[in-house]
Amino acid sequence: MLARWLPAAINTRPTEWSRAAIGMALGTLFSVWACSQVFGIEVAHHLIGPLGASAVLLFAVSSGALAQPWSIIGGYLCAGVVALLVAHVLGRTLGSACLAAGMALILMCWLRCLHPPAGAVALTMVLADPMTIAMDWKALEPVMLSAACLLLAALAYNNLTRIRYPKRPAEPAPAVAPVDIQSITAEDLKLALADMEAFIDVTPEDLEQLIHASERHAKRRSIGEVLGGRR
C-alpha cells in the first residue's frame, strides 16, 4: 500500500534537468521584467507565482498538451476574464476567488486550453493587490503580456537548445506488414482514454508511437535472446 505513494522514476537525464532549470529561470525573469517595465514592479510580482508554474510546464515538459501555446494564452485569458467577472459580481473574497478558479477550469476545458497555472491566475486576479484592483479590466493587460513574454522565451530557448516547441502533430505510425487486426491504433487509444474519463496529459498519437517503439525494442530483445541461445 505504501508503494503506491512512491514517485515513478523520471525518464530524463540530469543534463535535461539543468537545461529546463536554466530556461525556467530565464523565461520567468524575462516575463516578470517585461511586465514590470510596462505596469510596475508590484503588478509584476503579483503574477510571479502563476508564471513560475507555467515555466515548469513550458521548459520541463514542453511536449505535453498542457504546455502548448494555445494552452497558456487561452488559459490565462479565460482565467483573467472569469476572475474579473466574478470580482465585479460577487466581490473580492476567498469564496469568490475559489469559484472563479472552478469556473475558469470549466471554460478552459470547453475551449481546449487547459493550463493548470491559470487556476492560480484566477485566484490572484480576484484577491489582487491594490494597484491591480485599481486597473479594473485593464488588469488583463499585464496578465496577457506576461503570458506572451513567457511563451516567446519558451519558443526561443527550447528551439535553441534543440527541443522542438511547439509540438507538431504526430505523424501516423508506419503500417507494419502483415497487419494484425488486433493491433492497437490511435483510434483505439482515443476510445480507451475516453473510457478512463480522466485528465491525461498525452495524445493518442504519442501513445501509439510509444507502443510501436516498445514493440520494436521487444522484438530486438527477443531476437537477441534467440541468437544468444543458439550460441
Side-chain angles (χ1 to χ4, degrees), residues 70-75 78 107-115:
W70 171 236
S71 293
I72 180 172
I73 296 298
C78 290
L107 185 58
M108 285 188 286
C109 290
W110 182 55
L111 295 177
R112 301 180 182 180
C113 56
L114 186 61
H115 188 67

Side-chain angles (χ1 to χ4, degrees), residues 63-87:
S63 62
L66 304 181
Q68 299 311 299
W70 171 236
S71 293
I72 180 172
I73 296 298
Y76 273 51
L77 181 60
C78 290
V81 170
V82 170
L84 289 173
L85 282 173
V86 170

Side-chain angles (χ1 to χ4, degrees), residues 45-54 57 75-76 78-80 83 97-98 100-102 104-105 108 114-128 143:
H45 280 177
H46 194 65
L47 296 172
I48 197 169
L51 290 172
S54 294
L57 292 175
Y76 273 51
C78 290
C98 295
L105 172 63
M108 285 188 286
L114 186 61
H115 188 67
V121 172
L123 292 170
T124 57
M125 288 288 287
V126 175
L127 303 175
V143 171

Side-chain angles (χ1 to χ4, degrees), residues 65 167 184-211:
K167 182 183 177 182
I184 299 174
T185 65
E187 188 61 31
D188 296 324
L189 293 169
K190 289 180 182 178
L191 295 174
L193 290 173
D195 291 339
M196 294 178 68
E197 297 182 349
F199 292 111
I200 300 178
D201 189 21
V202 66
T203 64
E205 291 77 15
D206 288 337
L207 287 175
E208 186 181 25
Q209 287 186 340
L210 180 61
I211 289 172

Side-chain angles (χ1 to χ4, degrees), residues 38 43 56 82 99 114 134-135 152-153 168 185 194 199-200 207:
V38 180
V43 174
V56 173
V82 170
L99 176 63
L114 186 61
M135 296 177 69
L152 287 175
R168 296 179 182 177
T185 65
F199 292 111
I200 300 178
L207 287 175

Side-chain angles (χ1 to χ4, degrees), residues 130-203:
M131 186 172 293
T132 302
I133 294 175
M135 296 177 69
D136 199 28
W137 282 99
K138 289 186 177 180
L140 275 176
E141 296 176 5
V143 171
M144 299 314 298
L145 175 63
S146 300
C149 289
L150 186 62
L151 176 58
L152 287 175
L155 287 168
Y157 182 82
N158 284 336
N159 286 284
L160 287 174
T161 53
R162 300 181 180 181
I163 300 296
R164 183 175 294 175
Y165 181 80
K167 182 183 177 182
R168 296 179 182 177
E171 298 179 357
V176 180
V179 178
D180 185 358
I181 61 173
Q182 294 184 346
S183 61
I184 299 174
T185 65
E187 188 61 31
D188 296 324
L189 293 169
K190 289 180 182 178
L191 295 174
L193 290 173
D195 291 339
M196 294 178 68
E197 297 182 349
F199 292 111
I200 300 178
D201 189 21
V202 66
T203 64

